[in-house]
Amino acid sequence: MTTARSTLWLALAIGVLMLYPYPVSMLVAGGGTASAHAIAGHLCILQADLMLLLAGFVMALGSRMLGDLALGDPLVDRVAAVAVLLAVQDLPLTALAIVVPEHEGYAYRLTITHLLTVVVVLVMTVRMRRAPRPYRSPLLVGLLLGLVTLAPQLLLVAVGGPTFLDVRMPADLVVLFVSTALVLGLAVQLISSDLPLWAAWRLSGAVLALYAGRVWATVTEASQPPPVTVVAIVFFSALLATTVIGLLRRALAEVDGRLAVLVHRTADAEATVQHDREVAHEVRAAVAGVVAGAQLLANDQVSPGPRKTALLRMIETEAARLNRSLSAESPGTPSEVDVDAVIEPLVVAHEARGHVVCWNRTGHRTIGHPDAVAEVLSILLSNADRHARGAGTTIVVTRRDTMVEIRVADQGPGLDPVARAHLFEWGARGSTSQGEGIGLQRAHRVMLEEGGTLTLASSDELSGTTFVLRLPCAAVRTERPLRDEGQPPEPHVQAPASVRPDLSRAAAARGVAS
């Protein structure tokens, strides 16, 4: 509605401005003469014809640029072709009227050849509702049809035959009635077309005004352009031009809306794919530990005792975590997390794969989701196993003020300096890395969601690479002694060689996580 109102006011303003030749002629001619008024009228009609041509060009160009978005595919092409048709038909006649005054009536009065114009325009409007495809070149179609309707009028001028309709002649009166009926039918077709209702009413009103102005000039047998007819022709062009502007604005708004929807859908699709890849990344790492532990148990490589119990508990814990990761259930509200209970299955899983992790129990507890903390630690341990080239990995858990700090350090060659700046971005990885650049990005995001942080320790703290997790502290268990802050961590399992995992088999199992 805003577009319709704004373009209507614009049409009125343009129409008034296009009538400027009248006041200019009055000023120049000192009040105006008949010839001055006639020239002013023809200049106004010439401007209207040029505006029709420009409107047709803009409409055709907009239709081609925007395709079938919002403009209504064949609809605008037909309107553009009609605008060009009328401009091509009237421009030469208006120029002829200015150059040869005795032929000026052709610029504003009806002739029998206008019946052909009305029929052509009506057929194009009817086909507007039925044609499945737009014109390939509405400008060319309008040009050709305009020349077809112009030719009979130029022929009448050349041979000096019957020219304008005379309402005193029965035959001419019949032609006038038929033309009027066809114009009314054209207006009805426009209103019932697929154009926006405001645009359809605007165009049909403009057509009726144009025809009524020409009928008035014909009935009164005007010898020069009547102001009423000139105003009708001018405002017809202004209405059509501003309707084009309104349709283009509407089309652009709809294109913007569709683009916004496409961008939203693309973002949703990318987020879904990214989430699925993240889940798959974590599943591969967790399954590798479960498979390695299951192989050790299946091959009787672990004697009954604490080690076997730890492996069984690890398989049960990791399988349950995987099941929760793959389900759509909500993780629930944050709660107290026993850091030792989270770390132990992960350490056991990595030891089953041949990756020795040094760690001591501390009894620290934090606030969050156990599965989220386990996922982040699993990512860091898998990265250390993959990139540290067999070097050991150490987990140190301490409390600093109100935060629990978990350090995961390896003694590998360290990070690629180029990768440090984009370490936690999606797809970021070093030049020699064979990873996907998924794990650290997800681990960093998960820690933020948990109300904690994941950072890379400065290179001068420890050799290799050290990542630091910080989570809000919940409480410290006092029923077990805590590791002294200065005491170095020890390997989680100190089993005899006979019960340690076969590293060749474990190395084969590690391929599951790649």
Side-chain angles (χ1 to χ4, degrees):
M1 184 60 68
T2 301
T3 299
R5 289 178 179 177
S6 62
T7 54
L8 181 58
W9 284 110
L10 181 61
L12 294 175
I14 292 175
V16 171
L17 289 175
M18 289 174 64
L19 294 173
Y20 77 90
Y22 278 110
V24 170
S25 68
M26 293 178 66
L27 290 175
V28 172
T33 62
S35 60
H37 284 308
I39 293 175
H42 288 308
L43 289 176
C44 291
I45 295 174
L46 185 64
Q47 290 181 112
D49 292 336
L50 291 174
M51 181 167 285
L52 274 180
L53 189 62
L54 179 61
F57 175 78
V58 171
M59 198 178 300
L61 181 61
S63 180
R64 293 283 75 76
M65 291 177 61
L66 300 176
D68 61 349
L69 294 177
L71 287 175
D73 39 316
L75 299 179
V76 171
D77 283 343
R78 268 35 174 209
V79 174
V82 168
V84 174
L85 181 157
L86 295 177
V88 170
Q89 173 188 263
D90 289 345
L91 267 172
L93 298 175
T94 304
L96 178 65
I98 295 175
V99 176
V100 185
E102 56 266 28
H103 295 311
E104 64 177 350
Y106 286 98
Y108 52 86
R109 291 175 65 178
L110 294 174
T111 68
I112 191 172
T113 57
H114 280 101
L115 181 60
L116 174 62
T117 304
V118 175
V119 170
V120 170
V121 173
L122 180 60
V123 170
M124 294 175 66
T125 307
V126 172
R127 287 183 57 81
M128 180 189 300
R129 303 178 58 187
R130 300 177 182 176
R133 294 182 300 175
Y135 292 139
R136 291 185 178 180
S137 178
L139 294 178
L140 180 60
V141 172
L143 176 62
L144 294 177
L145 292 178
L147 292 175
V148 168
T149 55
L150 173 64
Q153 298 195 53
L154 293 179
L155 182 61
L156 288 177
V157 174
V159 301
T163 53
F164 312 116
L165 295 180
D166 187 348
V167 294
R168 292 167 297 184
M169 302 293 294
D172 289 351
L173 192 59
V174 170
V175 171
L176 186 61
F177 278 124
V178 171
S179 299
T180 303
L182 292 176
V183 169
L184 291 174
L186 173 61
V188 171
Q189 288 294 323
L190 284 172
I191 293 173
S192 60
S193 70
D194 292 333
L195 285 170
L197 190 59
W198 63 267
W201 277 101
R202 188 83 57 81
L203 291 176
S204 40
V207 168
L208 292 176
L210 173 66
Y211 184 73
R214 289 186 178 270
V215 168
W216 173 261
T218 301
V219 171
T220 59
E221 299 181 356
S223 58
Q224 62 180 18
V228 173
T229 302
V230 174
V231 169
I233 295 174
V234 165
F235 277 97
F236 164 76
S237 299
L239 282 172
L240 191 143
T242 53
T243 301
V244 170
I245 294 174
L247 288 173
L248 289 178
R249 287 176 58 186
R250 173 178 174 270
L252 291 174
E254 185 166 338
V255 169
D256 288 342
R258 293 191 182 189
L259 287 177
V261 171
L262 290 176
V263 169
H264 181 71
R265 290 179 178 175
T266 301
D268 284 347
E270 290 179 351
T272 301
V273 171
Q274 181 172 325
H275 177 267
D276 291 345
R277 291 183 64 187
E278 290 174 353
V279 172
H281 181 275
E282 172 59 15
V283 167
R284 287 196 299 270
V287 167
V290 172
V291 170
Q295 287 181 343
L296 292 175
L297 293 174
N299 295 330
D300 294 329
Q301 292 182 266
V302 182
S303 302
R307 172 67 173 168
K308 188 170 186 177
T309 302
L311 283 172
L312 289 171
R313 188 184 305 115
M314 178 273 292
I315 292 174
E316 180 181 357
T317 301
E318 287 294 273
R321 183 168 71 87
L322 282 175
N323 183 59
R324 290 191 295 271
S325 298
L326 295 174
S327 69
E329 297 179 1
S330 172
T333 58
S335 59
E336 285 195 9
V337 178
D338 185 344
V339 177
D340 293 336
V342 171
I343 295 177
E344 183 174 3
L346 299 175
V347 171
V348 173
H350 277 266
E351 287 181 344
R353 296 161 56 185
H355 176 211
V356 178
V357 180
C358 296
W359 162 72
N360 286 331
R361 292 177 174 272
T362 61
H364 287 300
R365 303 173 76 84
T366 184
I367 298 295
H369 298 93
D371 287 350
V373 179
E375 180 180 355
V376 173
L377 288 171
S378 175
I379 291 172
L380 297 179
L381 290 173
S382 296
N383 279 0
D385 184 23
R386 182 184 302 112
H387 301 299
R389 302 174 184 174
T393 301
T394 302
I395 299 178
V396 178
V397 184
T398 58
R399 178 178 177 177
R400 295 185 182 275
D401 296 327
T402 60
M403 304 294 286
V404 172
E405 184 177 277
I406 307 173
R407 288 176 171 259
V408 180
D410 65 62
Q411 301 301 314
L415 287 172
D416 184 346
V418 178
R420 286 177 176 266
H422 309 284
L423 190 61
F424 298 117
E425 296 179 6
W426 176 268
R429 56 182 181 178
S431 57
T432 60
S433 173
Q434 296 181 353
E436 299 177 89
I438 297 176
L440 289 178
Q441 178 270 342
R442 178 169 175 82
H444 185 262
R445 193 184 76 245
V446 169
M447 287 301 297
L448 292 178
E449 293 172 352
E450 290 294 302
T453 60
L454 172 63
T455 58
L456 176 67
S458 58
S459 58
D460 57 351
E461 291 188 17
L462 289 171
S463 60
T465 303
T466 301
F467 287 96
V468 182
L469 287 75
R470 293 183 179 88
L471 286 164
C473 180
V476 180
R477 297 176 65 94
T478 57
E479 61 267 22
R480 67 175 70 171
L482 300 182
R483 180 182 63 81
D484 183 73
E485 296 294 336
Q487 178 183 350
E490 301 176 354
H492 173 59
V493 178
Q494 297 287 353
S498 59
V499 298
R500 299 288 291 179
D502 185 344
L503 295 185
S504 63
R505 294 178 179 271
R510 292 166 65 184
V512 178
S514 62

